[in-house]
């Protein structure tokens, strides 16, 4: 169902003509415009009140869901509200607080290390530059771009697993390496679109275009997708695959933005939240 022109082969059948780079760019930009209409409320799905909380939450989000992080960080920030507090944490005590997010020993080491660096090298403040952020323990380009885009308003592309999967499915790039994906997608869109584009793609990947079984039959941008048919194409069956607010269920944030159309996620300690 993608926008590919066709030509006749020797046997008279139509064969797909390779999409030109210009046609791909136009299709990609149209997909972004349509995703903006579907997800006008797209936002980071981690709860945070400042740059430090977003940085910590993003480090914790590795190999787990944003929901699990959001259920864990209230107790974490109540106990360690500043970089100075977290830098002085007893590792074993910190590990117990963040245990629900998995890989808690490695994450505790990173959190204490980055907080120590913030205290000692940046006067206890999260630096607003990518070059500085990536020097912090446990912080790579993905985490740095999340913080820059959402805490400082500095445009950046967040190439997580959802982003990488979708832009390859959509034939915007064939790259596997996150930095190369970031570089190629950055060439397609103006810098002013980068942060919101990331949110829209990640939202779509979590709600509709899943890894194992994408809900093709319920996808609002299916006519523009060159990989249509990889997932369930029956509209009724596909509808059952939708997640979060698209399926009338809670999202991942305990404190979502005011314009979020779904329900807040349940905190830990409630039957639904502990499920």
């Amino acid at each position: 169902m993608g926008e590919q022109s066709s030509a006749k082969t020797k046997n008279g059948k139509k064969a797909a003509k390779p999409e030109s780079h210009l046609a791909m760019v136009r299709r990609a930009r149209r997909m972004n415009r349509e995703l903006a209409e579907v997800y006008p409320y797209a936002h980071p799905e981690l709860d945070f009140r400042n740059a430090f909380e977003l940085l910590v939450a993003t480090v914790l989000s590795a190999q787990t869901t944003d929901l699990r992080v959001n259920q864990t960080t209230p107790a974490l920030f109540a106990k360690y509200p500043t970089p100075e507090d977290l830098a002085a944490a007893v590792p074993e005590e910190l590990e117990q607080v963040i245990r629900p997010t998995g890989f808690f020993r490695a994450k505790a080491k990173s959190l204490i290390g980055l907080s120590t660096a913030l205290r000692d090298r940046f006067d206890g403040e999260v630096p607003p530059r990518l070059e500085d952020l990536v020097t912090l323990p446990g912080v790579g380009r993905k985490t740095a771009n999340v913080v820059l885009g959402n805490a400082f308003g500095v445009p950046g592309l967040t190439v997580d697993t959802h982003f990488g999967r979708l832009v390859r499915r959509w034939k915007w790039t064939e790259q596997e390496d996150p930095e190369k994906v970031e570089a190629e997608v950055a060439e397609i869109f103006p810098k002013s679109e980068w942060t919101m584009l990331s949110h829209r793609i990640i939202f779509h990947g979590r709600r509709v275009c899943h890894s194992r079984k994408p809900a093709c039959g319920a996808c609002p941008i299916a006519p523009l997708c060159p990989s249509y048919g990889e997932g369930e194409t029956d509209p009724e069956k596909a509808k059952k695959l939708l997640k979060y607010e698209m399926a009338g269920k809670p999202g991942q944030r305990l404190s979502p933005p005011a314009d979020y159309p779904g329900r807040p996620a349940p905190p830990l300690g409630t039957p639904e939240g502990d499920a």
Side-chain angles (χ1 to χ4, degrees):
M1 290 183 69
E3 290 189 333
Q4 293 184 332
S5 56
S6 60
K8 287 190 176 182
T9 61
K10 291 180 180 178
N11 59 14
K13 292 183 179 180
K14 288 185 177 181
K17 183 179 179 182
E19 184 179 44
S20 70
H21 180 74
L22 178 60
M24 181 276 290
V25 170
R26 287 174 172 167
R27 177 172 59 81
R29 291 181 175 181
R30 184 176 169 190
M31 292 173 85
N32 179 43
R33 290 193 299 271
E34 296 200 9
L35 287 173
E37 293 182 7
V38 177
Y39 308 110
Y41 50 86
H43 60 273
E45 295 192 84
L46 291 167
D47 286 325
F48 69 98
R49 296 170 295 186
N50 54 54
F52 174 63
E53 290 191 358
L54 179 57
L55 176 61
V56 168
T58 306
V59 170
L60 288 177
S61 69
Q63 305 299 315
T64 192
T65 63
D66 286 358
L67 171 59
R68 185 60 70 186
V69 174
N70 292 337
Q71 292 172 327
T72 303
T73 49
L76 174 67
F77 295 133
K79 190 175 178 67
Y80 310 106
T82 68
E84 292 80 6
D85 295 318
L86 198 48
V90 176
E92 293 77 13
E93 293 180 3
L94 176 58
E95 288 170 6
Q96 289 307 307
V97 177
I98 66 172
R99 179 183 283 269
T101 68
F103 300 94
F104 54 90
R105 290 190 180 90
K107 290 179 180 179
K109 184 177 179 181
S110 291
L111 293 184
I112 291 173
L114 72 84
S115 297
T116 300
L118 292 177
R119 180 194 66 193
D120 296 346
R121 294 197 280 122
F122 298 103
D123 299 319
E125 299 291 334
V126 177
R129 297 196 323 150
L130 185 141
E131 309 92 276
D132 293 327
L133 285 167
V134 295
T135 68
L136 302 173
V139 179
R141 286 185 68 91
K142 185 195 82 170
T143 296
N145 278 328
V146 169
V147 174
L148 289 172
N150 299 289
F152 295 109
V154 177
L157 291 171
T158 302
V159 184
D160 70 353
T161 55
H162 300 287
F163 189 102
R165 179 178 75 251
L166 268 61
V167 297
R168 283 187 290 272
R169 267 185 185 160
W170 296 341
K171 311 302 183 189
W172 294 2
T173 180
E174 294 181 352
Q175 300 293 341
E176 296 284 342
D177 178 77
E179 286 196 33
K180 292 179 180 178
V181 170
E182 181 183 340
E184 289 200 0
V185 176
E187 290 293 321
I188 300 173
F189 298 93
K191 187 177 289 189
S192 60
E193 283 290 308
W194 289 355
T195 298
M196 286 307 301
L197 173 70
S198 299
H199 291 326
R200 293 165 192 149
I201 291 176
I202 293 169
F203 255 57
H204 194 64
R206 287 173 170 170
R207 286 150 178 78
V208 180
C209 196
H210 313 306
S211 177
R212 292 192 183 92
K213 200 169 185 181
C216 294
C219 179
I221 57 170
L224 296 168
C225 181
S227 298
Y228 176 83
E230 283 189 12
E232 180 58 65
T233 57
D234 180 85
E236 289 304 313
K237 291 180 180 178
K239 191 175 180 180
K240 294 177 181 177
L241 299 173
L242 300 176
K243 294 183 178 179
Y244 303 116
E245 77 281 2
M246 304 291 279
K249 297 178 180 178
Q252 297 204 72
R253 292 190 69 164
L254 275 66
S255 302
D259 62 348
Y260 178 67
R263 291 181 285 137
L268 278 172
T270 63
E272 192 176 5
D274 295 335

